[in-house]
Amino acid sequence: MRAGSNENGTERGSDNVWSKESMELRPIMYARAEAPNPMQAAAEKYENRFEIRFDSLTYFSRDLLSNLHRPGTDITVVPDNVTIASRSDKRILHEVAVLSEVANSLSPTNDDRAAYFAALKNIYINLPTRPDEATQDEHTLFVGIEREGRILAESLEWLPSSHNLHPHAKRVPFESGLLVGLSKFPSLRPYARCFIIDGAIASGSTLITVIEKLRPVTSTFDIFSVHSPYEGLQALARYGNSQNLKLKITVGHATAGMNAKFYAVDSADPAKLIVGDIGDTISELDK
C-alpha cells in the first residue's frame, strides 16, 4: 500500500492543463485495517448499508480533488486520448436527454427505469470504440465496476468469464474530501491491458482508485462510460499523465458542472442532474 502523495504541488511550465510536466497527483491507499480510525468509522456506515466489506480505503483530500478538477483556459478542451462520442454522433444527445429526464424524476416507474437502461446501452453501442473484439483476448482484463458497470457490461457481453473482475467501489464522504472503498481483489497475473466499464464518471476518484489497485499487473487502461463532467475527464487525464500510464477514455457525452456530492449537474441549473445515480436507477432491473 502506498504511504503518501505529493498532493499540494503546483503545475509547472505552460498553462496547458494536459502538460507532461503536471505534478504527481496520486491518492493515498490504505489497507482497511491500517486506515486511521475515523476513516474506518466513515467506511463502516457504507459497508453496513450495502452489506459489503472493503479491503482497502483510498483517500482523496479536498486539496487533491481541487487540483485534479481545476479548469484550464477552456474546460471543454480535452487531450487526444479522450473521445467524446456526441461531438460527432448527435444521436447520443437524445439518449442523454432520456437519462436526464428519468434522473430528475421524483418517482421513476419501472417503464422509466427500462427506458433509462435502454438509453445507457444505446450510448455504449454507438461509441466509436468498443471492447467487443477484445473479449476473446486472454491478455486483456475486463473490469465492470459494481453496480452499474457490472450490470451494463454483462448485458453487452463485455465480462468474459475467464478474465474479468467486478469489484465494489464506493465513494464515502470524509471530512471535506472522499474515500473510495474497494472490495477484495483476487491474485492477478500480468495483463497487456485493462478495459474498465463504468456507468458514468463523476469526480474520477473511483476509476483512479481501481487503476491504482491494478497498476502492478498492467499500465495500459481503456475506460468506457456513458457520460462524464469535464472535471472528471481532467482528473483522469492529469492523473494518467502524472503516472506515465497509457490511458484512453471514451465517453458518450460530457458536460461541465458537479455539485457538492460530486454528481454531474447542469451548469445553467445546478439543481438538475445529468444522469443521476445509475446504480440506484437500474439495480431493480438486475433482480
Side-chain angles (χ1 to χ4, degrees):
M1 294 296 173
R2 189 165 168 275
S5 64
N6 177 22
E7 61 188 33
N8 296 313
T10 56
E11 191 173 78
R12 303 188 303 273
S14 72
D15 189 43
N16 178 0
V17 298
W18 313 116
S19 170
K20 279 288 187 179
E21 296 181 353
S22 294
M23 66 181 188
E24 182 180 351
L25 295 166
R26 199 173 177 188
I28 306 170
M29 181 176 284
Y30 298 92
R32 190 200 183 288
E34 298 172 1
N37 289 338
M39 290 186 183
Q40 294 191 46
E44 187 174 7
K45 296 177 183 178
Y46 282 72
E47 291 174 319
N48 292 339
R49 175 183 170 187
F50 292 101
E51 298 181 338
I52 58 177
R53 178 74 175 179
F54 298 135
D55 183 64
S56 64
L57 297 174
T58 301
Y59 177 50
F60 292 77
S61 70
R62 185 69 212 183
D63 284 348
L64 175 55
L65 290 169
S66 295
N67 281 320
L68 286 167
H69 296 148
R70 70 189 187 280
T73 310
D74 182 350
I75 197 171
T76 66
V77 173
V78 294
D80 292 340
N81 63 333
V82 175
T83 299
I84 301 171
S86 63
R87 291 185 172 182
S88 57
D89 186 349
K90 302 305 180 185
R91 294 175 299 174
I92 289 175
L93 297 176
H94 169 74
E95 307 296 350
V96 174
V98 172
L99 299 179
S100 296
E101 182 177 358
V102 176
N104 289 286
S105 172
L106 296 178
S107 301
T109 65
N110 285 339
D111 286 345
D112 292 334
R113 295 176 190 274
Y116 187 95
F117 193 26
L120 291 169
K121 290 191 288 186
N122 286 340
I123 292 173
Y124 272 120
I125 289 168
N126 287 297
L127 293 179
T129 303
R130 299 191 307 275
D132 304 76
E133 294 183 3
T135 58
Q136 303 303 313
D137 181 4
E138 294 283 342
H139 301 290
T140 299
L141 177 65
F142 280 77
V143 178
I145 299 175
E146 292 283 3
R147 293 169 291 177
E148 56 267 30
R150 188 265 306 166
I151 295 170
L152 286 159
E154 282 185 341
S155 73
L156 295 164
E157 298 184 346
W158 290 350
L159 278 185
S161 59
S162 61
H163 45 115
N164 85 80
L165 293 174
H166 44 94
H168 285 279
K170 299 296 183 185
R171 297 183 316 177
V172 178
F174 182 72
E175 295 178 348
S176 57
L178 284 174
L179 296 174
V180 177
L182 281 185
S183 57
K184 188 175 179 63
F185 280 40
S187 297
L188 295 169
R189 61 179 172 83
Y191 285 89
R193 59 181 175 173
C194 175
F195 284 1
I196 304 177
I197 297 91
D198 198 7
I201 298 168
S203 66
S205 58
T206 298
L207 287 165
I208 290 172
T209 299
V210 171
I211 292 170
E212 279 285 298
K213 187 71 173 180
L214 293 174
R215 286 178 61 176
V217 300
T218 187
S219 62
T220 302
F221 296 89
D222 287 67
I223 295 168
F224 300 89
S225 181
V226 298
H227 176 269
S228 177
Y230 283 108
E231 293 89 340
L233 295 177
Q234 288 181 2
L236 287 165
R238 285 195 176 105
Y239 162 77
N241 282 344
S242 75
Q243 301 305 305
N244 294 313
L245 298 172
K246 295 178 181 177
L247 181 66
K248 292 182 181 179
I249 308 163
T250 303
V251 298
H253 188 51
T255 55
M258 284 192 302
N259 63 16
K261 294 182 178 180
F262 299 100
Y263 282 99
V265 295
D266 187 337
S267 58
D269 182 4
K272 182 179 179 181
L273 299 171
I274 302 297
V275 296
D277 190 318
I278 293 178
D280 281 351
T281 308
I282 67 175
S283 61
E284 292 296 320
L285 303 173
D286 188 46
K287 296 178 178 179

